[in-house]
Amino acid sequence: MVSDSGGDGLLSRGGRHRAVAGHGEGVGEGVGVGEPEDWVGALTSTGAEQAEAMRALHALMVRAAAHQVWRMRAALPDASPGNVDVVVNQAADEAMTALLGKLHTFEGRSRFTTWAFKFAILQAATDVRRLQWQHREVELRDLDLPDVAEDSHDGPEHQAEGADLARALGDAMCTCLTPHQRRVAVALLVDGVPIDVLAERLGSNRNALYKTVHDVRQRLRADLTRRGYIPADRGSGPSDGVPMTSAGVS
């Protein structure tokens, strides 16, 4: 299987793939030339069959990672073809290692290639965001409550309603949340820090931060509902009625 050095044992012996040609276009999920019909069986076999399956899997991971990195290339500090190729292959290697570690969980509910593509696409997106933020400071600041700016496009009534809701939301964040919850909420939901980047800086993980954001929205919704800003019969989704951006949570 994959070596303890991170999955490059097989690939370092001539198995690496170029990623830039075609910019990741033509990403397909059917059975390609040289790809096994039974991926799990081939990957868990031995000898030449396993080696060929590993090479095919890495090629598949590179195609998926290249597609995602090319889509997000504007976020890279260095979007040169050589650097994109490095990012793609690193993401493909990491995704392949993660997939092989979870191979036993594949239940066949979807195509194996569809399942595999998700590993590569998510890993590639995570790596691009990490590179985008590697030299940027993540300031875990508390909530600022500046004066609500006037919007000349809205009438006086809408301006007053918007200002009132903004003040109510700010008050709820100050009174209903812990300092940690406020700082995480501001970083993710206001400043737009990617959740994987924030987790890395805090020595935490995505699941813990998702739980924090869920608790934040629950507390804010309960307070705004109690004070009449959100109808009590509103749906119970995690973001219903809480007017905060979630661009940083991805």
Side-chain angles (χ1 to χ4, degrees), residues 143 145 161-177 189 215-235 237-245:
L143 181 68
L145 292 175
E161 290 177 355
D164 189 34
L165 180 58
R167 282 190 292 269
L169 181 58
D171 291 343
M173 291 187 72
C174 290
T175 59
C176 298
L177 305 181
L189 305 175
D215 291 344
V216 164
R217 284 172 164 158
Q218 291 279 60
R219 291 190 178 197
L220 295 180
R221 185 190 312 114
D223 185 78
L224 294 176
T225 300
R226 178 182 60 80
R227 296 162 62 189
Y229 289 95
I230 298 176
D233 59 349
R234 193 68 180 264
S239 61
D240 286 339
V242 181
M244 299 178 68
T245 177

Side-chain angles (χ1 to χ4, degrees), residues 76-92:
L76 288 171
D78 177 4
S80 64
N83 187 63
V84 167
D85 188 60
V86 170
V87 174
V88 166
N89 272 285
Q90 287 179 345

Side-chain angles (χ1 to χ4, degrees), residues 25 59 120 124 135 231 244:
E25 295 175 357
H135 298 306
M244 299 178 68

Side-chain angles (χ1 to χ4, degrees), residues 11 26-27 73 94 103 111 118 127 157-158 185 192 220 227 231 233 238:
L11 303 176
V27 177
R73 66 192 181 281
E94 293 173 10
L103 190 61
R111 284 184 174 182
K118 293 178 182 178
D127 288 355
E157 183 178 351
H158 287 168
L220 295 180
R227 296 162 62 189
D233 59 349

Side-chain angles (χ1 to χ4, degrees), residues 18-27 66-67 70:
R18 290 289 298 172
V20 176
H23 311 309
E25 295 175 357
V27 177
H67 175 74
W70 182 254

